[in-house]
Every structure is written in C-alpha cells, then in structure tokens.
Amino acid sequence: MDLIFIEFYRSFFMAIRYPTNFVIQVVMSVSLFYLLLMGGGMFHSQVIEVKRVELMLVNYFFWTIALPTISSIPQSIEEDAKAGTFEQVLQSVYSTAFLFYIRGLAHCLLQIVISLCILSVLIIVTGVVPQITWQVCISIFSVILTALGMSLLIGGLGVRVKRTGMVIAALQLPLLYLLIFPFEQQFTNSGVEWWLFLPFVADSIQARHLVMSGELNIKYYFYSYSMLLVWTIVGAGGFVGMLRYTKKRAKTNGY
C-alpha cells in the first residue's frame, strides 16, 4: 500500500505541475465525443435517443480510462529511459514487473479522477446524466485491470525498443470501436459469440444491457473477468520474457 501511495503521490504532482496537459486532454476528449454524437445523429429529443447518448457516455467513460491506462507503463519506461534512470529501477528490491504494474495502477487512479472531470463536462454539454450503478462499477474494475495487463505487454516491448508511442496511437480508434460497436446486435446469426473473446467487449455489452433495460447477465462478467485473467498472465509473461531477453543482450540502457 505504501508503494501505491508513493506512486500515486508522484503521478499527482506530475499532473499538477503540467496543468496544460490536463486541460488539453479534457478539451480533446469532449470534442471527440461531440463529433461522435454528431456523426451518429443522436441529438434528438426522443427517449430512446437519450438512452443511446447515456449508453455512449458510459462506454466513452470506459475508453477515457482504458486508453491512458494501457499507455501508462510504456510511457513510464520511456520516461525512465530518457532520464537515464531505467537501470536504477531494475536494481529495485521490488520485481520490475510488479513495480511498473503498481505505477500503472497509481496512474490509473489519477486517470479515474480526470475521466470523471471529462464525464462531468460531457453531462453539461449533453444534458444527459448516465446511471453509474455498482454493476457498472464491476465492469469498470474489469476494464482497468484488463488495460493494465495490456499495458504490461506493451511495456515489455518498451523495455526493448523504449519508444512505443506509435503503438499506443494505433490502438486509440480500435479500442474505441471495441467499446462502442454493438457486436451482439450486428452478428445475431453467428453461431459462436466470438466477440466475447475480444478485450473490453463483454464489459461494453454488460453496460449496454444495464443502461438500456436494467438487465444484468452474469455471463458477461464471466467473459470479462476471464479476459482480465488472460491479459494479466500474457502481459506479465510478455514483460518478464522481454526484460530477460533485453538483459541478456545488455541493452537495458540507452534510449
């Protein structure tokens, strides 16, 4: 717990030191959502349209948490490499994977605060207040931990190449697609629900059902937490494996 507090304290003061980044993130996130609404033609007065906006707000809230969480570990590695402190991190008494996982978790806690600010502005802009129930919070928790697993995997790549900015940039729109696209409605004739094996999709569908009809389906929790476990194992394994590979070739230093 002390390590989480220290890393959160570090992330918090990094954020308030550069307030312009916070303002830009809020403005860009609100603008993108507004463009998505305009493109979908959802600004109408009908109740069903209000429900769709509410659903989109919840899924977009997921996205504003998931994307920065995925980028947190690779960015932390890149910053350490730039500052020349990455080798010192490797000498820590803590496991390197565990240390960066805690860093990612601390960054995520801060990002939740930022995402709530973005959501508050969106509520003012749209006039729609989404119902964030405890069932939705269970899905948010799954999104966070799944994103941390993916962040570890990309962080493993970052240990080797240091620069992963293009990888993160390439994930932005596909990730938004996974969280917004109604797979269960578009592939009704499919015999196998293959989309449930994609990251974040089960969480998105669960939120969709909760918002539109109040229906809770335990099946989606099963799939979402199964994906959480898979990505955590794959992410940790990929990070440790790439770190060992890089250490053997004595390429942990440099940028």
Side-chain angles (χ1 to χ4, degrees):
M1 290 301 294
D2 289 341
L3 186 57
I4 296 177
F5 176 78
I6 291 169
E7 290 296 339
F8 178 79
Y9 186 83
R10 170 180 171 272
S11 298
F12 175 75
F13 275 93
M14 286 289 288
I16 63 175
R17 186 177 180 182
Y18 304 103
T20 306
N21 292 344
F22 166 75
V23 174
I24 291 174
Q25 183 178 355
V26 172
V27 171
M28 290 185 65
S29 298
V30 171
S31 300
L32 177 59
F33 184 83
Y34 188 83
L35 289 173
L36 289 171
L37 281 183
M38 293 296 97
M42 293 185 184
F43 263 147
H44 301 290
S45 59
Q46 290 90 336
V47 174
I48 185 64
E49 297 301 336
V50 171
K51 278 292 184 181
R52 287 177 180 173
V53 173
E54 182 182 353
L55 170 61
M56 199 168 178
L57 278 171
V58 172
N59 286 337
Y60 193 75
F61 178 66
F62 284 5
W63 183 74
T64 62
I65 294 175
L67 183 63
T69 301
I70 290 173
S71 66
S72 61
I73 295 176
Q75 285 181 352
S76 181
I77 292 172
E78 185 172 338
E79 288 169 4
D80 281 331
K82 283 181 179 178
T85 57
F86 185 65
E87 292 256 352
Q88 296 177 25
V89 174
L90 297 181
Q91 303 304 317
S92 170
V93 295
Y94 298 101
S95 161
T96 305
F98 174 74
L99 180 60
F100 279 108
Y101 189 87
I102 293 300
R103 279 191 181 183
L105 182 59
H107 179 84
C108 177
L109 293 175
L110 179 62
Q111 183 58 42
I112 290 174
V113 176
I114 297 173
S115 295
L116 287 172
C117 293
I118 295 171
L119 182 62
S120 299
V121 176
L122 289 174
I123 289 172
I124 295 172
V125 171
T126 62
V128 176
V129 181
Q131 299 298 314
I132 308 294
T133 63
W134 65 268
Q135 294 97 329
V136 174
C137 289
I138 293 176
S139 294
I140 293 174
F141 185 71
S142 171
V143 167
I144 290 171
L145 294 187
T146 303
L148 279 172
M150 297 176 72
S151 186
L152 269 177
L153 184 61
I154 301 173
L157 178 63
V159 168
R160 179 65 182 88
V161 300
K162 302 302 184 293
R163 299 186 182 185
T164 54
M166 290 304 298
V167 176
I168 301 300
L171 285 175
Q172 293 186 42
L173 291 181
L175 181 58
L176 184 60
Y177 177 82
L178 288 174
L179 286 166
I180 291 180
F181 188 78
F183 288 91
E184 77 283 10
Q185 297 174 17
Q186 297 297 320
F187 299 102
T188 54
N189 295 326
S190 177
V192 179
E193 295 178 318
W194 53 268
W195 54 87
L196 293 176
F197 295 97
L198 298 173
F200 309 117
V201 171
D203 300 298
S204 174
I205 295 175
Q206 183 72 281
R208 189 155 36 246
H209 286 195
L210 288 168
V211 170
M212 298 299 289
S213 63
E215 176 188 351
L216 176 66
N217 193 328
I218 300 298
K219 176 181 74 173
Y220 296 122
Y221 283 147
F222 171 77
Y223 278 102
S224 64
Y225 277 83
S226 295
M227 289 297 97
L228 182 163
L229 182 61
V230 168
W231 280 103
T232 300
I233 293 173
V234 170
F239 186 94
V240 171
M242 188 57 72
L243 181 61
R244 288 176 178 172
Y245 174 86
T246 306
K247 281 182 174 180
K248 283 181 180 180
R249 283 152 182 80
K251 293 184 178 180
T252 54
N253 61 336
Y255 173 66

